[in-house]
Amino acid sequence: MGLIDPDRFRESFERYSSIGATDREGLHRLALSEADGRVRDEFVADLEELGLSVRVDELGNVFGRRPGTEDLAPVLIGSHLDSQPKGGRYDGQLGVLSALETLRTFEDEGVETERPIEIVNWTNEEGSRFKPALTGSGAYVGAHDVETVLAETDENGTTVEEALEEIGYRGTEPVGPDEVPDSALELHVEQGPALEEADRRIGVVEGVLGMVWLEATVRGDADHAGPSPMHTRSDALVAAADVVTAVRRMAGRLDDDVVTTVGELTVEPNSVNVIPAEATFTVDVRSYDDEVVAGAVDRVEEELRAACGREGTEFELSELWRIPRTEFAPRVADAVEAAAAGSDSPAMRMTSGAGHDASYLAELTDAGMIFVPSVDGRTHNEREFTEWEDAVAGAEVFARTTRRLAGTGDGEGGRR
Amino acid sequence: MGLIDPDRFRESFERYSSIGATDREGLHRLALSEADGRVRDEFVADLEELGLSVRVDELGNVFGRRPGTEDLAPVLIGSHLDSQPKGGRYDGQLGVLSALETLRTFEDEGVETERPIEIVNWTNEEGSRFKPALTGSGAYVGAHDVETVLAETDENGTTVEEALEEIGYRGTEPVGPDEVPDSALELHVEQGPALEEADRRIGVVEGVLGMVWLEATVRGDADHAGPSPMHTRSDALVAAADVVTAVRRMAGRLDDDVVTTVGELTVEPNSVNVIPAEATFTVDVRSYDDEVVAGAVDRVEEELRAACGREGTEFELSELWRIPRTEFAPRVADAVEAAAAGSDSPAMRMTSGAGHDASYLAELTDAGMIFVPSVDGRTHNEREFTEWEDAVAGAEVFARTTRRLAGTGDGEGGRR
């Protein structure tokens, strides 16, 4: 017998999903867009209906606080309501609604917790319209400067500040905790196939892979594709293609969990009858072992050197971004695991390949995450899908874990 | 002792090169631009100074006619004055000025030819601002429809017709020959390294390689680069990169003269942390053997099938354009060879990897070309360069060949 109310949870999910819905059952709700404004209004109304005190900070992060029975630091729960362009309905939203369903359940069931609980919707997790991704949570923990973030512009030159004012979410509260939370918990769809392949419902997330983003530029000579014999060519794309192949292959040699991706590649002058003079591409490398990530960077450089040697081209390699792995708090993972056991949902420990708001919160407090399966691992597109019974199981485990972290005086967690 | 006047030739070259000059000694003189208008004015003034009757047709092709002593079909000589964006000073312009220098020499030396000689500047050879390339010569031989060409637009929506009117070169003469020329001759820079490598000054061009342009689209699945393990991926760029490598390699197995190029490649969604869902690229294959070109198309398809099989992606392959090889008239090549021998310029027979206005003229009459060396084979950029003594040698052979083709009654050619 579950804690939460699956029908109410479903109703909220459908209602929120209708705001910014695409005609293919996806969600197009870019950060601080008009649709993001409307879903925030819905969220605030739901928080107020629960009797929570609502705060909006200068970056539009929305918090609702449910008091505890004792004077203790709060447990922070939530995720994000913005979506990718033509993205899915589960990414982010499912985490916010699991937190909302948790508080509704506590209210309905008269669950009193020792610690206060704060529910949150973070601004601009996706980073599609405004850079950087994880804007709200990153600024909250002090990783981003608020003034810099407010001045960021979208492709039309609109600033974050203007967009916040436009939708009425330029709050007055300073960004950052007035009191450091005791712990933070976020539910999210896995966005990968590991749970599905292992036939588990619940991922107990122990950490987030470390990551590096590289940018390589290969320079050859633009020449007419007709009169230039093969032996005189320095074709930037041919050299780049060799590295794309090598990047694909190197993952298998480095470590089990390593993923390597060339996501961007552009060619100059990009003309059918001109030998490519320049090819610029990115390399994304992730592993839970930061040393492996560092080793992959060396390998990419070696492959570039070999390919450019073969082709008579030159290259530059620069590091766009590097973040070490995030380790979530063992006590939060333990709480998730215990809650899953208590609700009979098959669970497994795993790491996350993607960064999440919880990654930033781990810099501030004991953080953790719960993953639910993504069918075929699909994400960031309209076909993103999670079986509804998995979503319900996740919300149930989320509510139980929150109760453990916030403490009810019955031995299921609480003060540490 | 040469026929032509190298100093006068040089003066014209410098004067014409100053119109649309870039600050790196290149030329930015897009078809029907203001600079193209000014260089045409210069050309028309030079023709009128020679006493030629000047005609401008509806597509802006400019002709000047020097009468012959007999009532015979004319010899058509010339090339194009438009340039690539930030292109070089030699491509096209050297051919027009060799023809101009030839007529000036004939005038100065009192050379009377049996056949009339028509000098021509073809509109929009390059095809950079308006599609298609070889607009003027193609329409002249009936390969393009005049009304369709006039309605073509540049990236600002300006039509060919508007651009012609803007610069005052929307002529009234119908496009096409009132009398089919006896022969056509064009001098051009090689745009490849063959003459330089063989240490020859004059290329006797026997024909133009046959060519095919293919477009391939590979479709995989866009997924988040973090949580998607390597074994579940269908990465469109990885499959495309395999084909780029195969295209580079296949040239060496097909035939000596084959060139194969992937000049364009674009990736969707082209985002650093998203596995490429789509990669679209072109393949340019050229050979003097049309069967070899056809065989290469089959090979590209096989490689696509293999790469997509490996990667779990799908593909489409379409043919954008195919032209069989052009064979120039043996009697024109023979005339060029004899003229080169007479002027002590080391010559060699060769084919052209690139299409030229003369390729279209070969559909109408006996056509031929003279190539002069391009340093390092460089072309279509500001560093395009031809040693001046090579340019002079080329113009000399051009004048001598023209004299042979037009006939002077002294046994050096003439009526066939």
Side-chain angles (χ1 to χ4, degrees), chain A residues 106-396:
Chain A
F106 289 1
E107 204 54 30
D108 265 24
E109 305 290 324
V111 176
E112 296 204 330
T113 56
E114 292 165 4
R115 297 188 177 279
I117 301 174
E118 293 222 333
I119 183 172
V120 60
N121 167 44
W122 299 111
T123 292
N124 189 31
E125 193 268 353
E126 297 291 359
S128 304
R129 179 179 173 196
F130 296 102
K131 302 289 172 209
L134 308 171
T135 295
S137 53
Y140 180 82
V141 306
H144 304 316
D145 172 61
V146 174
E147 294 308 313
T148 307
V149 166
L150 285 169
E152 284 289 333
T153 53
D154 67 7
E155 61 180 17
N156 299 319
T158 305
T159 65
V160 167
E161 184 167 8
E162 288 162 352
L164 280 166
E165 274 161 6
E166 182 84 15
I167 62 166
Y169 280 86
R170 172 92 161 105
T172 51
E173 296 275 325
V175 177
D178 48 0
E179 177 184 23
V180 174
D182 165 71
S183 51
L185 185 67
E186 179 176 8
L187 177 142
H188 206 279
V189 287
E190 181 198 339
Q191 306 182 290
L195 287 170
E196 190 177 51
E197 287 181 1
D199 200 19
R200 307 295 169 95
R201 281 214 152 125
I202 301 294
V204 181
V205 188
E206 297 188 298
V208 180
L209 305 190
M211 180 170 87
V212 69
W213 284 357
L214 306 173
E215 184 175 85
T217 302
V218 176
R219 290 195 182 85
D221 289 317
D223 264 316
H224 193 306
S228 305
M230 304 307 287
H231 74 279
T232 64
R233 300 182 173 202
S234 291
D235 185 323
L237 177 57
V238 166
D242 285 352
V243 181
V244 170
T245 306
V247 165
R248 174 65 149 127
R249 203 170 51 211
M250 77 176 58
R253 268 290 300 148
L254 290 169
D255 209 342
D256 269 1
D257 74 339
V258 179
V259 283
T260 52
T261 309
V262 176
E264 280 181 45
L265 189 150
T266 55
V267 174
E268 288 291 333
N270 211 38
S271 172
V272 58
N273 62 347
V274 182
I275 297 164
E278 201 171 294
T280 301
F281 59 96
T282 56
V283 183
D284 175 313
V285 179
R286 303 181 192 216
S287 169
Y288 201 53
D289 184 338
D290 293 331
E291 292 298 309
V292 168
V293 172
V297 174
D298 294 341
R299 278 237 53 76
V300 169
E301 185 162 359
E302 259 181 80
E303 294 289 352
L304 268 167
R305 186 165 296 117
C308 289
R310 259 189 313 273
E311 192 61 24
T313 51
E314 301 190 332
F315 72 92
E316 274 171 45
L317 180 63
S318 61
E319 201 170 298
L320 299 177
W321 198 24
R322 190 194 290 243
I323 44 172
R325 75 174 187 189
T326 301
E327 291 176 83
F328 287 139
R331 75 166 176 105
V332 178
D334 291 347
V336 174
E337 195 162 51
S343 74
D344 288 328
S345 286
M348 66 185 239
R349 295 202 170 231
M350 62 186 300
T351 51
S352 169
H356 292 284
D357 291 311
S359 315
Y360 269 131
L361 293 172
E363 296 182 12
L364 184 73
T365 185
D366 287 350
M369 294 190 76
I370 297 171
F371 274 174
V372 291
S374 297
V375 171
D376 289 340
R378 283 196 301 264
T379 187
H380 284 190
N381 65 55
E382 294 164 294
R383 295 180 304 141
E384 178 183 275
F385 185 67
T386 292
E387 298 287 353
W388 188 246
E389 51 262 50
D390 292 339
V392 170
E396 178 67 27

Side-chain angles (χ1 to χ4, degrees), chain B residues 79-101:
Chain B
S79 188
H80 62 95
L81 289 169
D82 67 319
S83 87
Q84 287 278 322
K86 294 194 181 171
R89 303 158 75 176
Y90 300 88
D91 179 352
Q93 174 164 282
L94 200 64
V96 172
L97 294 180
S98 295
L100 178 63
E101 178 56 32

Side-chain angles (χ1 to χ4, degrees), chain B residues 211-249:
Chain B
M211 181 170 87
V212 69
W213 283 359
L214 306 172
E215 185 174 85
T217 301
V218 177
R219 290 197 181 84
D221 288 317
D223 263 316
H224 193 306
S228 306
M230 303 308 288
H231 73 280
T232 64
R233 299 181 173 203
S234 291
D235 185 323
L237 178 56
V238 166
D242 284 352
V243 181
V244 170
T245 306
V247 166
R248 174 65 151 127
R249 205 168 51 212

